[in-house]
Amino acid sequence: GDSVIQMQGQVTLSENDFLFINCTYSTTGYPTLFWYVQYSGEGPQLLLQVTTANNKGSSRGFEATYDKGTTSFHLQKTSVQEIDSAVYYCAMRGKVVGQLTFGRGTRLQVYA
Amino acid sequence: EAAVTQSPRNKVTVTGGNVTLSCRQTNSHNYMYWYRQDTGHGLRLIHYSYGAGNLQIGDVPDGYKATRTTQEDFFLLLELASPSQTSLYFCASSEGARQDTQYFGPGTRLLVL
């Protein structure tokens, strides 16, 4: 069945460090892929999405590349700030109309 | 920006108790969802609906009922609450098949003693 894998449960960085969060997916075909961000005390919100395989998505300094060869959609940012501390979810639109499959989430903690 | 509200924001009940969580969205979205969020599991879909009167089963439906009374309102019912249902519950909405972005509410924290 469809699945989204985020192996990193927690990432701890200092300000201006480089961020890389792994995400791989498993399904047939080329799904639309998403990154959602959840700040403390709030619901998740869309960070970026990519519909077409081998395209990039970017928002607020974050970037993700849809790599159909490796079935990956890793999230990266060149220089993180303390305000980026949040939980990041990778998600995929699977076969069921209107339904998303989420990864387990990666908690990012950035220290000043 | 889509607006999704949830009530109550916090709820405490006892084992065997009856709980109703409410969700309202004000952007005429067709799809509405109920998720639970637990450490180590992320977001898991309980039930969803693509219109008033419609209900679809998600990935973790056991112990939950849901009802979509109008396009705006979606309710999650726990008729015999158990401690395993202690969690943070999120409601979300989306326009539908062509527009996947889901807009989430602020969440309801439920504690079952």
Side-chain angles (χ1 to χ4, degrees):
Chain A
D2 293 347
S3 66
V4 175
I5 306 298
Q6 289 179 251
M7 294 299 293
Q8 300 153 285
Q10 172 124 7
V11 173
T12 303
L13 297 171
S14 299
E15 277 197 329
N16 301 315
D17 281 352
F18 175 74
L19 170 69
F20 187 86
I21 300 178
N22 287 305
C23 173
T24 58
Y25 65 90
S26 176
T27 188
T28 55
Y30 305 115
T32 297
L33 298 170
F34 307 81
W35 278 100
Y36 277 78
V37 58
Q38 183 181 19
Y39 299 104
S40 181
E42 300 180 10
Q45 58 183 270
L46 180 68
L47 177 60
L48 56 84
Q49 75 177 75
V50 178
T51 303
T52 305
N54 294 336
N55 273 9
K56 283 186 180 180
S58 61
S59 173
R60 310 183 216 173
F62 292 87
E63 188 175 89
T65 301
Y66 185 154
D67 187 334
K68 67 178 182 180
T70 59
T71 62
S72 67
F73 192 52
H74 309 315
L75 182 71
Q76 56 187 36
K77 186 175 185 182
T78 303
S79 178
V80 293
Q81 303 302 307
E82 195 173 5
I83 58 168
D84 295 325
S85 296
V87 178
Y88 292 82
Y89 288 98
C90 184
M92 169 181 73
R93 184 181 74 184
K95 300 180 188 62
V96 179
V97 172
Q99 190 170 332
L100 297 182
T101 299
F102 286 87
R104 293 187 176 185
T106 299
R107 179 174 297 278
L108 171 65
Q109 182 68 57
V110 181
Y111 291 99
Chain B
E1 184 78 18
V4 180
T5 56
Q6 295 182 233
S7 63
R9 295 296 310 278
N10 293 280
K11 177 72 177 179
V12 180
T13 190
V14 295
T15 299
N18 197 321
V19 176
T20 298
L21 306 185
S22 302
C23 177
R24 167 165 283 203
Q25 55 94 6
T26 58
N27 281 288
S28 301
H29 283 170
N30 295 316
Y31 283 73
M32 295 185 74
Y33 311 82
W34 278 108
Y35 292 91
R36 60 178 290 172
Q37 184 180 56
D38 305 284
T39 303
H41 293 279
L43 290 161
R44 292 183 289 175
L45 182 65
I46 304 170
H47 291 296
Y48 68 105
S49 166
Y50 54 72
N54 174 265
L55 182 66
Q56 302 295 314
I57 293 173
D59 299 321
V60 290
D62 292 347
Y64 301 96
K65 292 184 179 179
T67 180
R68 180 91 176 267
T69 54
T70 65
Q71 186 165 26
E72 293 78 22
D73 298 302
F74 195 29
F75 300 93
L76 186 67
L77 296 82
L78 292 74
E79 294 183 333
L80 286 173
S82 72
S84 65
Q85 293 176 308
T86 292
S87 187
L88 181 56
Y89 291 87
F90 286 101
C91 177
S93 72
S94 73
E95 182 181 323
R98 293 184 180 181
Q99 176 52 266
D100 298 290
T101 303
Q102 293 190 11
Y103 296 88
F104 285 79
T108 294
R109 191 169 294 279
L110 174 66
L111 174 61
V112 183
L113 300 172

